[in-house]
Amino acid sequence: MTTPMPDPVIRTRALARTYLRGAIAVPVLEAVDLELAGGEWLAVLGPSGSGKSTLLNILGLLDRPDAGVYELAGEDVSDLGDTMRAELRNRRIGFVFQSFNLLPRTSALENVAAPLLYRGIRRAARLAQARQALERVGLADRMDYDPGQLSGGQLQRVAVARALVGEPALLLADEPTGNLDSRSGAEVMELFAALHQAGTTVLMITHDPTVAARAQRRMVLDAGRLLAA
């Protein structure tokens, strides 16, 4: 008896998004077809203005497509209401932003634990999970430091730990080395490589071919369409 293949973590069909600039319709994404398997690491390349951020926002349930189908972990999420989208974001998706988006004057431990608050998890359990996530990214000795006491590379590691703390099905990374020097950027990419080896599913957008080269698979967003690199 053949074992059925698991659903991809991401599957889109003919995904489209258009913005209005005054009376002019500007297509940003056109007929985007994408599948991302569990444990895969995909980099999406494209210059500024190519629609990478729009695609990431749709996949992260921060924006909606105008047309097409988006399935997340086998569930059609194209037309979900705001409450369900927010719940799915919290439980199934981890975000890593170029600008870190950490809470100021708040310890690394509390920053990492913050997403678990919205799941109703008690404080002691939240902090225990946050400690494990920080240990996983090599910051066991920086848990009590606030963002102002950390280097750029350490800030991004905290951001990665925060994305991982809820054990999401998908890790979305928006230019994760964009605000880092070359050495810190290389260290963060080593961390992503280790996460991929451990089975984490990653979709990363970048304009940098050197960063994209570290991924298992690469695609290019060009004129609103997603093409194999």
Side-chain angles (χ1 to χ4, degrees):
M1 182 177 179
T2 303
T3 303
M5 293 292 289
D7 289 316
V9 174
I10 287 175
R11 177 188 283 134
T12 72
R13 295 191 294 276
L15 210 64
R17 185 71 168 96
T18 298
Y19 292 117
L20 288 176
R21 294 179 181 169
I24 301 173
V26 180
V28 179
L29 300 176
E30 298 186 56
V32 170
D33 294 330
L34 170 64
E35 287 198 7
L36 182 67
E40 192 174 10
W41 181 8
L42 171 66
V44 176
L45 271 162
S48 177
S50 64
K52 300 189 308 298
S53 293
T54 298
L55 177 62
L56 195 78
N57 287 339
I58 290 173
L59 298 178
L61 301 178
L62 296 169
D63 193 8
R64 299 173 187 272
D66 297 320
V69 175
Y70 173 26
E71 295 176 2
L72 175 63
E75 179 180 356
D76 187 344
V77 298
S78 311
D79 298 315
L80 288 181
D82 291 342
T83 300
M84 281 299 300
R85 292 164 70 84
E87 182 176 335
L88 281 176
R89 274 199 308 272
N90 182 262
R91 294 186 176 275
R92 293 192 179 177
I93 302 172
F95 292 92
V96 179
F97 300 99
Q98 177 178 347
S99 56
F100 318 130
N101 287 11
L102 299 176
L103 299 171
R105 298 179 297 282
T106 304
S107 71
L109 185 65
E110 293 283 2
N111 262 288
V112 173
L116 301 177
L117 177 65
Y118 303 102
R119 297 192 189 183
I121 297 174
R122 298 175 73 89
R123 177 175 169 78
R126 294 199 305 268
L127 294 181
Q129 287 180 236
R131 288 188 189 95
Q132 291 177 352
L134 284 165
E135 289 168 358
R136 187 175 179 186
V137 301
L139 288 179
D141 59 344
R142 294 291 188 272
M143 293 189 188
D144 295 327
Y145 287 50
D146 69 35
Q149 298 172 300
L150 298 171
S151 69
Q154 290 169 337
L155 290 170
Q156 196 59 291
R157 284 174 177 267
V158 175
V160 172
R162 180 186 57 193
L164 294 172
V165 71
E167 299 182 355
L170 173 66
L171 187 63
L172 296 177
D174 181 3
E175 300 278 6
T177 64
N179 280 348
L180 303 178
D181 59 41
S182 58
R183 178 178 177 180
S184 296
E187 291 173 353
V188 167
M189 293 313 299
E190 287 296 330
L191 174 58
F192 273 94
L195 293 172
H196 170 238
Q197 288 295 320
T200 302
T201 306
V202 181
L203 189 147
M204 173 179 69
I205 66 170
T206 182
H207 69 280
D208 187 340
T210 304
V211 171
R214 298 295 304 273
Q216 176 186 9
R217 181 162 65 102
R218 287 157 296 284
M219 301 188 79
V220 176
L221 196 57
D222 182 39
R225 294 182 180 272
L226 197 58
L227 309 170

